[in-house]
């Protein structure tokens, strides 16, 4: 298995906020082009890579959805050269003070990256009720250090701001940075595509890097409608056990991807994947989603006449912070498991997907 | 133009009950369009033109419905309890006047409030139409009413209830009147039930199946005393939406709108709205996805019976929409 | 002619006693499929587990706008009930659990439950009163402090299993006491309507899943069926208790004994006014008691169905019942019967011209 870390680090260094995913899409396109037969962008920007299967036409297809968009911030106003901002996707304001960011300024045409810092004004400059409590987002600023006139020329309301924390490896085969949610899954899907180079498969495979998952699974909904797959696997990150996160919703880091159970997941496909992991001795965990999974899979399941959906998770600590942590082994395990599942899909697999209770 | 805005804003058609406004608008646009139909949710869908070379199928959406109230119970003394249709601001209720679809006027008041510094809840309010018992009350459970305020022409500003989104409808109608040529197949869709969940836009977008979608709706401003920190202001031109509480406008559409405005020398503002969304959100996720954006009319006091717009902004909104639709779209 | 006799009572009992939490509707699905054998022209179970059945009409078709035949009418009821999912094994037979669907957690302490496909019994116990303080008893017990206790030998039970209240169906004269009347009433009515489908329409029946967690089954069922119009059969709360201050109860929603509740509007949809008129006029003409459900809150599968594709004219009709989403709901036989009679009459008297006028 090739080392996926260089590609992942490359991807983690690129911006690509929800709605503005082009920089990430370019990197993924370059990586996937030799691995697929066709590559294109959907109407809302999702990347669609097709690996044609060997089966007789018309072939069923499996779509693997991994979202490429990042959470971040957006400029809402400029006050004396300081930038006011709002969030794009779910950001806990408590991780912001002191965060390094990049402002993609459109004042002079094409977006120009400007380094900045998220700053928390001194207490005297804030409503007294805040005291020493966390400062709400609306009172924070991004400071680029540039003089106000320069900022007014360079920056516009609506410009996007991404986290600038560079990725790096921690001990024990783990990696940290921003937007591991969900670029590690894109990496896992890439591992899957690499595996499939040497494994024949009957079904068509749609490798899809979806857009705008963080603000409403927009890309997944439209890509599923357009591609009309037979089955969807939504590969996303899930909460790993860690400081302050030890409850039933969390899974151990580095002990394999999780297979989710609940109304969002087709129980027969879940069982097929679980049995496969057992057979291949790939470590995995079980995850319970009583109502919804908070992933692209929640949208894909109810597109058009409905699509049988499976949700798989890669355990990740500190989700939605600039210092998310994932075990690289889990990325490879997820990629391999999905590849083996695809390779094992027979032409009559769908007849077995019955609700024989 | 002002007469049209007055006519539209003074019509009563709360969410779900848009029959009256639909007929008012139909009369205005019939001579200007090629084909009109009404779908299962009551949306008014009007086609103008067909696709020429370089043309697209473009859907424009402005919602016909307004926020209002629906009677839930008539008590034994003829007082009417109600629920809200769309985002009702509690602070606008007490002392307000309403008008039911059959013309019955009423006054809103509330149970005795022990804390006069707080607005009442919806459950604490009632409408009094002057009846003395359930039997002689002309209003039945399920009847709907809108807030009543007359249109005010202040010269450079106009005030009315339901500028949200009758002003959007007015901009669309005036655009239809002004537009000379277009390479596009245009669908002017006057949608229903936006205020309760973008329902009309959802079904009409599926039916029209456009290449590109644009909603014409109101947006808030940040130019009132101790108001929200928002850069949009009255009098600075139509706002080109970048983001709101429900969606991100397609950046290709944002750029197309900005280029067009600059080329035609029309003033414009970039808009990020922190709360609220428009029909564009529903259009964006129709079928395989539709690149979508929004042309916003800056409006003070949204969801208040006295919403205020700038006359120049309206004229520039029409100019911008005409400019956008007159030429091929270069995304 | 559809009727409510012993067979229907036994069927409702079987349905209410079955356990089918959102996403795990198999037990009810099996009963439905068995009941429909021989009655349907087409039977399908879709990607989410909805049961979609069609029964074509017969007799002369009337042209509608020169290209249409019989109306395609979709009727639907949801098979799922609110309940629980076990999420962690604490050992010693104690399991952490989450609610599935809207349940007021103040209803949980001290209840008996049934766990898993084998209906293994369990209890939700609480700290005994002797060991609590007065202050403590004023506080709600949070969900994460509750456990389902199935006894020390937990071998067969595991996280992921679903659980429901253990209430068994009872009939006492005109009164029914059971769990999951929401929406087993709808299911049993739909089965009876389907078996007695009138000849003037093509009837598409959807026994949907996952209504309680977001009207999800109905969304894809409506897309697949693409009907001309839809009637949703559900069960709705009757909050017709006396108020604490002796004042008139102005937010009762519906009342027991007043018959089927026709929806004008709820939180998720406006009923098509043409369908509301059709139902109320037939009820009046035939002397069937009925009520209008108070508008505003709540939702049914119509919320999803009416927005499918280019929109589908829809209406909901519900059987009133008290104490929805709790261990024990209470309803009246007559309300069930009148709902069935009204719906059958309404379907029978639909004609293809019904939708020619614009929605108004």
């Amino acid at each position: 298995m090739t080392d996926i870390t260089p590609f992942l680090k490359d991807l983690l260094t690129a911006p690509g906020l929800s709605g503005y995913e082009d920089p990430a899409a370019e990197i993924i396109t370059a990586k996937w082009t030799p691995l697929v037969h066709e590559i294109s962008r959907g109407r809302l920007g999702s990347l669609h890579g097709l690996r044609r299967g060997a089966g007789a036409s018309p072939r069923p297809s499996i779509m693997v959805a991994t979202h490429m968009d990042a959470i971040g911030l957006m400029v809402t106003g400029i006050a004396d050269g300081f930038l006011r901002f709002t969030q794009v996707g779910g950001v806990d304001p408590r991780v912001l003070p002191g965060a390094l960011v990049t402002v993609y300024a459109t004042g002079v045409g094409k977006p120009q990256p400007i380094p900045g810092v998220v700053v928390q004004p001194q207490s005297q400059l804030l409503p007294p009720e805040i005291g020493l409590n966390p400062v709400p987002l609306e009172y924070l600023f991004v400071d680029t250090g540039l003089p106000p006139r320069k900022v007014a020329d360079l920056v516009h309301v609506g410009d996007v701001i991404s986290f600038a924390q560079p990725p790096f490896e921690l001990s024990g085969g783990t990696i940290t940075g921003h937007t591991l949610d969900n670029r590690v899954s894109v990496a896992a899907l890439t591992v899957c595509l690499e595996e499939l180079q040497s494994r024949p498969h009957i079904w068509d495979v749609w490798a899809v890097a979806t857009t705008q998952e963080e603000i409403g699974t927009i890309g997944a909904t439209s890509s599923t409608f357009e591609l009309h797959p037979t089955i969807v696997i939504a590969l996303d990150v899930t909460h790993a056990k860690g400081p302050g996160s030890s409850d039933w919703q969390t899974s151990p880091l580095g002990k394999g991807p999780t297979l989710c159970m609940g109304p969002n997941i087709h129980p027969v496909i879940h069982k097929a994947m679980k049995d496969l992991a057992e057979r291949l001795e790939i470590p995995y965990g079980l995850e319970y989603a009583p109502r919804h999974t908070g992933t692209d899979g929640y949208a894909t399941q109810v597109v058009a006449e409905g699509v049988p959906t499976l949700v798989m998770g890669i355990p990740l600590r500190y989700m939605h912070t600039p210092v998310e942590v994932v075990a690289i082994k889990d990325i490879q395990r997820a990629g391999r498991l999905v590849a083996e599942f695809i390779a094992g899909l027979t032409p009559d697999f769908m007849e077995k997907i019955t609700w024989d209770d | 133009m002002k007469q049209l805005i007055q006519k539209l804003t003074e019509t009563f058609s709360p969410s779900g009950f848009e029959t009256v406004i639909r007929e008012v608008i139909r009369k205005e646009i019939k001579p200007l369009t090629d084909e009109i139909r009404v779908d299962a949710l009551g949306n008014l869908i009007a086609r103008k033109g067909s696709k020429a070379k370089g043309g697209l199928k473009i859907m424009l959406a402005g919602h016909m419905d307004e926020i209002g109230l629906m009677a839930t119970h008539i008590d034994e003394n003829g007082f009417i309890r109600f629920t809200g249709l769309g985002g009702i601001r509690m602070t606008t209720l007490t002392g307000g006047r309403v008008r039911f679809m059959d013309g019955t006027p009423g006054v809103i008041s509330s149970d005795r409030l022990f804390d006069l510094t707080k607005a009442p809840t919806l459950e604490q309010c009632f409408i009094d139409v002057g009846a003395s018992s359930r039997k002689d009350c002309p209003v039945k459970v399920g009847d709907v009413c809108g807030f009543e305020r007359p249109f005010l022409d202040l010269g450079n500003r106009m005030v009315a209830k339901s500028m949200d989104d009758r002003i959007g409808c007015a901009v669309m109608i005036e655009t239809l009147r002004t537009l000379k040529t277009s390479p596009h197949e245009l669908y002017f869709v006057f949608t229903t039930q936006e205020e309760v969940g973008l329902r009309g836009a959802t079904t009409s977008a599926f039916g029209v199946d456009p290449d590109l979608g644009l909603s014409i709706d109101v947006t808030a401003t940040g130019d009132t005393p101790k108001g929200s920190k928002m850069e949009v202001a009255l009098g600075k031109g139509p706002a080109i939406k970048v983001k709101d509480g429900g969606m991100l406008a397609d950046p290709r559409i944002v750029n197309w709108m900005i280029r067009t405005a600059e080329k035609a020398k029309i003033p414009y503002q970039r808009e990020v709205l922190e709360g609220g969304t428009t029909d564009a959100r529903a259009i964006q996720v129709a079928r395989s996805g539709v690149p979508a954006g929004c042309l916003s009319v800056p409006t003070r006091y949204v969801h208040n019976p006295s919403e205020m717009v700038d006359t120049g902004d309206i004229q520039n909104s029409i100019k911008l929409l005409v400019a956008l639709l007159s030429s091929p779209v270069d995304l | 002619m559809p009727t409510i006799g012993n067979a229907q009572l036994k069927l409702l009992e079987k349905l209410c006693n079955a356990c089918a939490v959102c996403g795990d509707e198999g037990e009810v699905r099996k009963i439905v499929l068995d009941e429909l054998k021989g009655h349907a022209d087409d039977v399908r179970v879709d990607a989410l587990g909805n049961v979609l059945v069609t029964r074509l009409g017969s007799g002369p078709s009337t042209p509608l706008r020169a290209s249409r035949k019989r109306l395609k009418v979709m009727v639907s009821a949801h098979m799922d009930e609110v309940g629980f999912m076990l999420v962690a094994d604490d050992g010693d037979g104690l399991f952490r659990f989450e609610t599935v669907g809207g349940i007021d957690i103040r209803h949980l302490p001290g209840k008996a439950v049934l766990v898993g496909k084998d209906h293994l019994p369990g209890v939700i116990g609480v700290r005994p009163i002797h060991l609590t303080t007065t202050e403590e008893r004023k506080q709600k017990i949070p969900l994460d402090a509750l456990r389902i206790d199935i006894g020390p030998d937990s071998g067969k039970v595991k996280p992921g299993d679903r659980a429901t209240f253990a209430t068994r169906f009872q009939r006492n004269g005109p009164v029914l006491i059971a769990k999951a009347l929401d929406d087993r009433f709808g299911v049993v009515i739909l089965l009876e309507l389907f078996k007695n489908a009138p000849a003037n329409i093509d009837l598409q029946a959807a026994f949907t899943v996952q209504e309680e967690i977001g009207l999800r089954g109905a969304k894809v069922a409506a897309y697949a069926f693409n009907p001309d119009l839809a009637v949703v059969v559900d069960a709705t709360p009757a909050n017709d208790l006396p108020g604490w201050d002796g004042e008139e109860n102005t937010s009762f929603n519906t009342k027991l004994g007043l018959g089927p509740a026709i929806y004008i509007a709820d939180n998720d949809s406006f009923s098509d006014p043409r369908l509301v008129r059709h139902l109320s006029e037939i009820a009046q003409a035939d002397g069937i008691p009925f009520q209008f459900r108070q508008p505003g809150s709540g939702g049914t599968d119509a919320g999803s169905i009416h927005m499918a594709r280019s929109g589908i004219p829809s209406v909901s009709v519900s059987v009133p019942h008290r104490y929805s989403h709790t261990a024990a709901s209470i309803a009246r036989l007559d309300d069930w019967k009148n709902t069935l009679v009204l719906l059958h009459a309404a379907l029978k008297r639909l004609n293809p011209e019904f939708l020619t006028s614009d929605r108004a």
Side-chain angles (χ1 to χ4, degrees):
Chain A
M1 197 175 297
T2 56
D3 184 7
I4 200 66
T5 315
F7 166 66
L8 179 57
K9 275 189 175 156
D10 210 11
L11 191 53
L12 293 174
T13 320
L17 261 70
S18 301
Y20 294 78
E21 295 90 348
D22 281 354
E26 272 166 36
I27 295 175
I28 303 169
T29 302
K31 186 71 175 172
W32 283 6
T33 300
L35 304 174
V36 299
H37 296 117
E38 271 171 46
I39 193 148
S40 60
R41 300 286 292 273
R43 294 179 77 185
L44 296 185
S46 295
L47 193 58
H48 298 164
L50 171 64
R51 264 196 75 79
R52 273 183 238 105
S57 207
R59 284 180 298 277
S61 66
I62 179 165
M63 169 174 143
V64 185
T66 59
H67 70 89
M68 57 171 167
D69 56 317
I71 57 171
L73 312 172
M74 178 182 274
V75 178
T76 56
I78 306 174
D80 295 340
F82 295 91
L83 306 178
R84 283 204 199 90
F85 58 86
T86 186
Q87 51 186 305
V88 176
V91 178
D92 183 343
R94 295 175 302 174
V95 310
L96 291 178
L100 297 165
V101 295
T102 308
V103 180
Y104 289 87
T106 60
V108 285
K110 259 181 62 105
Q112 187 190 331
I114 303 176
V117 184
V118 181
V119 300
Q120 175 181 287
Q122 294 76 11
S123 304
Q124 314 91 284
L125 302 170
L126 293 169
E129 310 84 74
I130 294 180
L132 292 175
N133 289 326
V135 179
L137 195 136
E138 59 180 296
Y139 299 108
L140 301 173
F141 290 107
V142 167
D143 188 357
T144 58
L146 293 167
R149 271 195 54 194
K150 194 98 176 82
V151 175
D153 286 340
L154 286 175
V155 182
H156 279 145
V157 165
D159 286 350
V160 295
I161 304 169
S162 70
F163 290 114
Q165 171 62 50
F168 57 94
E169 291 170 64
L170 295 174
S171 73
T174 56
I175 187 166
T176 186
H178 69 82
T179 319
L180 267 66
D181 172 9
N182 191 25
R183 306 243 175 108
V184 295
S185 295
V186 176
L189 180 49
T190 310
V191 168
C192 168
L193 287 173
E194 285 173 343
E195 289 282 298
L196 288 177
Q197 300 302 303
S198 53
R199 305 278 273 109
H201 53 93
I202 292 174
W203 285 39
D204 281 348
V205 180
W206 285 104
V208 178
T210 59
T211 55
Q212 299 189 49
E213 185 275 348
E214 296 288 5
I215 55 160
T217 60
I218 308 279
T221 307
S222 39
S223 290
T224 306
F225 193 99
E226 182 177 342
L227 303 177
H228 207 231
T230 318
I231 291 178
V232 170
I233 295 181
L235 186 51
D236 208 319
V237 293
T238 187
H239 299 289
K241 292 199 189 296
S245 306
S246 59
D247 219 342
W248 62 270
Q249 299 97 325
T250 62
S251 306
L253 189 72
K255 299 281 196 310
T258 62
L259 302 177
C260 200
M261 305 175 61
N264 197 174
I265 292 96
H266 197 296
V268 178
I269 304 185
H270 165 87
K271 184 160 191 312
M273 183 68 83
K274 183 159 157 280
D275 291 346
L276 179 64
E278 293 278 342
R279 225 167 37 242
L280 297 173
E281 293 183 336
I282 296 178
Y284 68 94
L286 288 176
E287 199 185 331
Y288 308 99
R291 296 167 289 270
H292 56 77
T293 56
T295 67
D296 277 340
Y298 194 61
T300 64
Q301 191 191 30
V302 291
V303 169
E305 316 89 351
V307 185
T309 295
L310 182 110
V311 176
M312 192 186 288
I314 297 175
L316 175 150
R317 277 188 191 154
Y318 319 126
M319 204 179 289
H320 284 204
T321 70
V323 291
E324 298 174 329
V325 177
V326 166
I328 297 182
K329 253 197 307 218
D330 286 343
I331 301 174
Q332 288 161 337
R333 284 164 175 152
R336 193 173 148 233
L337 184 54
V338 174
E340 292 290 339
F341 183 83
I342 291 172
L345 284 170
T346 55
D348 66 347
F349 183 80
M350 286 315 289
E351 273 107 78
K352 301 202 210 104
I353 305 300
T354 57
W355 293 84
D356 276 346
D357 303 290
Chain B
M1 179 183 85
K2 286 188 176 180
Q3 275 179 322
L4 174 66
I5 296 170
Q6 174 164 13
K7 194 189 326 192
L8 294 177
T9 54
E10 288 185 341
T11 306
F12 289 95
S13 283
S15 296
F17 299 85
E18 299 91 348
T19 311
V20 179
I21 187 68
R22 184 168 67 229
E23 294 318 306
V24 171
I25 295 178
R26 194 206 294 259
K27 241 212 192 99
E28 296 286 331
I29 65 171
K30 197 152 193 288
L32 307 165
T33 51
D34 297 330
E35 204 187 311
I36 295 183
R37 64 180 177 89
V38 175
D39 78 357
L41 257 66
N43 292 303
L44 185 63
I45 302 171
R47 179 182 62 81
K48 183 174 178 69
S50 35
K51 255 200 250 189
K53 191 168 183 292
L56 297 173
K57 195 199 284 193
I58 298 182
M59 172 170 162
L60 302 157
H63 68 89
M64 304 191 274
D65 61 312
E66 64 191 290
I67 57 172
L69 309 172
M70 178 186 271
T72 58
H73 180 73
I74 322 295
D75 77 10
E76 26 200 30
N77 296 311
F79 293 99
I80 301 159
R81 296 285 176 180
F82 57 84
T83 187
L85 300 172
I88 305 294
R89 306 272 183 269
M90 301 311 150
T91 47
T92 64
L93 294 181
T94 314
R97 297 184 189 177
V98 296
R99 196 169 287 271
F100 286 87
M101 299 306 285
D102 68 346
T104 302
V107 174
I108 306 174
S109 191
S110 74
D111 303 345
R112 176 166 175 209
L113 297 174
F114 290 94
D115 183 354
L116 287 169
T117 63
K118 287 203 174 60
T121 62
L122 217 60
E123 292 76 34
Q124 289 174 311
C125 291
F126 56 82
I127 296 169
D128 185 348
V129 296
S132 45
S133 74
R134 184 179 287 139
K135 271 219 230 352
D136 77 6
C137 181
V139 176
K140 299 180 314 299
V141 168
D143 285 353
V144 300
C145 64
F147 299 99
E148 173 140 54
R149 285 288 196 292
F151 171 89
L152 274 182
D153 182 356
L154 302 177
N156 64 332
R157 304 271 151 99
M158 292 178 275
V159 175
K161 61 109 176 139
S162 311
M163 282 297 186
D164 177 11
D165 181 33
R166 304 285 162 75
I167 198 67
C169 298
V171 168
M172 283 166 66
I173 295 170
E174 289 295 320
T175 298
L176 261 170
R177 268 199 248 283
T178 321
L179 187 63
K180 298 215 177 0
T181 59
S182 170
H184 308 294
E185 185 178 339
L186 297 171
Y187 285 85
F188 286 78
V189 183
F190 298 88
T191 62
T192 59
Q193 301 184 32
E194 186 273 351
E195 297 287 7
V196 291
L198 320 174
R199 297 182 192 160
T202 305
T203 57
S204 56
F206 188 97
V208 170
D209 191 10
D211 300 315
L212 189 157
L214 215 57
S215 63
I216 321 293
D217 208 328
V218 302
T219 190
T221 65
D223 62 351
T224 55
K226 295 206 166 74
S228 52
K229 294 198 178 60
M230 191 186 173
E231 295 297 307
V232 174
L234 284 195
K236 297 234 175 75
I240 296 173
K241 190 188 287 285
V242 178
K243 176 185 187 297
D244 67 22
M247 71 169 297
L248 288 161
D250 194 306
R252 297 168 291 183
I253 296 207
V254 175
N255 288 334
W256 163 58
M257 293 172 78
I258 290 174
R259 276 196 316 269
T260 306
E262 290 185 342
K263 191 150 169 247
K265 297 200 171 31
I266 301 168
Y268 69 92
Q269 323 182 47
R270 283 178 174 79
E271 170 209 340
V272 175
L273 178 67
E274 302 241 27
T277 191
T278 72
D279 279 341
R281 177 200 159 105
I283 300 172
Q284 190 181 52
V285 292
R287 295 182 185 252
S288 307
V290 179
C294 175
L295 193 160
S296 303
V297 177
T299 306
R300 288 180 185 162
Y301 325 127
V302 175
H303 281 206
N304 178 300
S306 303
E307 297 172 329
M308 180 188 282
V309 298
D310 178 273
T311 310
D313 287 346
I314 310 305
Q315 288 157 344
N316 282 320
S317 297
I318 297 165
K319 270 208 195 114
L320 179 54
L321 190 53
V322 169
L324 287 167
L325 302 178
S326 301
S327 319
V329 175
D330 179 19
L331 286 186
Chain C
M1 257 314 274
T3 184
I4 300 204
N6 275 329
Q8 288 75 18
L9 270 160
K10 283 235 132 16
L11 179 54
L12 181 61
E13 179 172 4
K14 194 156 68 155
L15 286 167
C16 286
N17 288 345
C19 298
V21 177
C22 316
D24 191 42
E25 296 89 353
E27 207 176 322
V28 170
R29 187 165 39 239
K30 187 168 187 314
I31 297 171
V32 166
L33 286 168
D34 282 345
E35 285 290 319
L36 290 172
K37 279 207 178 74
H39 290 279
D41 292 312
D42 185 63
V43 182
R44 252 190 324 121
V45 178
D46 75 4
L48 272 71
N50 293 312
V51 175
L52 304 176
V53 288
T54 309
R55 186 163 160 169
L56 297 171
S58 55
S61 47
T62 318
L64 171 67
R65 286 191 176 144
S67 62
R68 296 285 223 81
K69 300 182 291 177
R70 286 179 296 268
L71 279 178
K72 271 197 296 181
V73 178
M74 173 177 174
V75 287
S76 85
H78 67 91
M79 299 190 287
D80 58 309
E81 67 192 277
V82 299
F84 316 101
M85 179 192 263
L86 276 55
V87 293
D89 184 345
D90 276 5
D92 203 25
L94 299 171
F95 289 83
R96 280 286 303 277
F97 66 93
E98 281 287 308
T99 55
V100 183
I103 297 183
D104 182 335
I105 63 170
R106 295 173 296 176
H107 278 271
L108 302 185
K111 298 297 176 299
V113 297
L114 298 173
V115 183
K117 295 211 182 333
D118 297 333
H119 291 200
L120 295 171
V123 296
I124 303 174
V126 289
R127 202 208 301 270
I129 184 173
H130 321 67
L131 303 178
T132 60
T133 62
T134 320
E135 271 320 296
E136 189 188 329
R137 289 198 295 278
K138 292 193 187 140
Q139 308 299 323
K140 205 159 63 167
I141 306 174
L143 193 59
D144 56 22
L146 295 172
R147 299 289 183 275
I148 288 177
D149 184 347
I150 60 135
D153 184 5
S154 70
K156 284 176 155 191
V157 172
K158 45 192 203 317
D161 285 351
R162 312 301 208 278
T164 68
F165 292 112
T167 317
R168 300 289 82 189
F169 180 94
Q170 285 181 69
R171 178 207 172 172
N172 181 21
V175 173
L176 303 171
I177 304 178
K179 66 157 179 79
L181 287 175
D182 175 9
D183 182 27
R184 306 293 153 75
F185 262 143
V187 173
V188 76
I189 288 171
L190 218 64
L191 286 167
E192 196 65 12
L193 283 174
F194 196 80
K195 292 176 192 169
N196 295 279
N200 56 303
I201 56 174
D202 288 342
L203 190 60
Q204 301 165 308
F207 296 84
T208 63
V209 299
Q210 301 188 33
E211 185 273 351
E212 298 287 5
I213 52 170
L215 321 176
R216 289 176 64 81
K219 181 173 193 275
V220 303
Y223 188 97
F225 270 153
N226 195 16
D228 296 314
L229 62 95
V231 180
V232 174
V233 191
D234 212 329
T236 193
N239 300 322
D240 53 349
L241 279 65
W244 63 277
D245 54 0
E247 298 270 335
E248 183 187 351
N249 178 353
T250 59
S251 53
F252 49 85
N253 195 50
T254 63
K255 295 183 175 165
L256 282 199
L258 293 189
I262 302 173
Y263 287 51
I264 295 165
D266 60 23
N267 197 45
D268 295 340
S269 69
F270 293 101
S271 297
D272 190 297
R274 298 167 288 189
L275 285 168
V276 174
R277 274 197 301 275
H278 180 68
L279 284 160
S280 53
E281 282 165 8
I282 286 177
Q284 270 157 7
D286 291 7
I288 305 168
F290 76 99
Q291 50 188 317
F292 285 115
R293 180 186 182 275
Q294 286 187 321
S297 62
T300 69
D301 274 339
S304 274
I305 294 171
H306 86 293
M307 295 225 285
R309 294 184 187 250
S310 314
I312 297 169
S314 308
V315 69
S316 303
V317 180
S318 288
V319 183
H321 71 302
R322 290 180 185 150
Y323 323 123
S324 196
H325 291 198
T326 70
S329 302
I330 292 182
R332 300 259 177 81
L333 212 71
D334 277 347
D335 290 331
W336 168 20
K337 187 178 80 161
N338 285 321
T339 306
L340 176 62
V341 169
L342 174 58
L343 286 169
H344 178 79
L347 291 177
K348 210 162 164 197
R349 270 124 89 172
L350 280 170
N351 65 67
E353 305 302 305
F354 187 74
L355 295 171
T356 40
S357 57
D358 286 341
R359 175 196 178 100

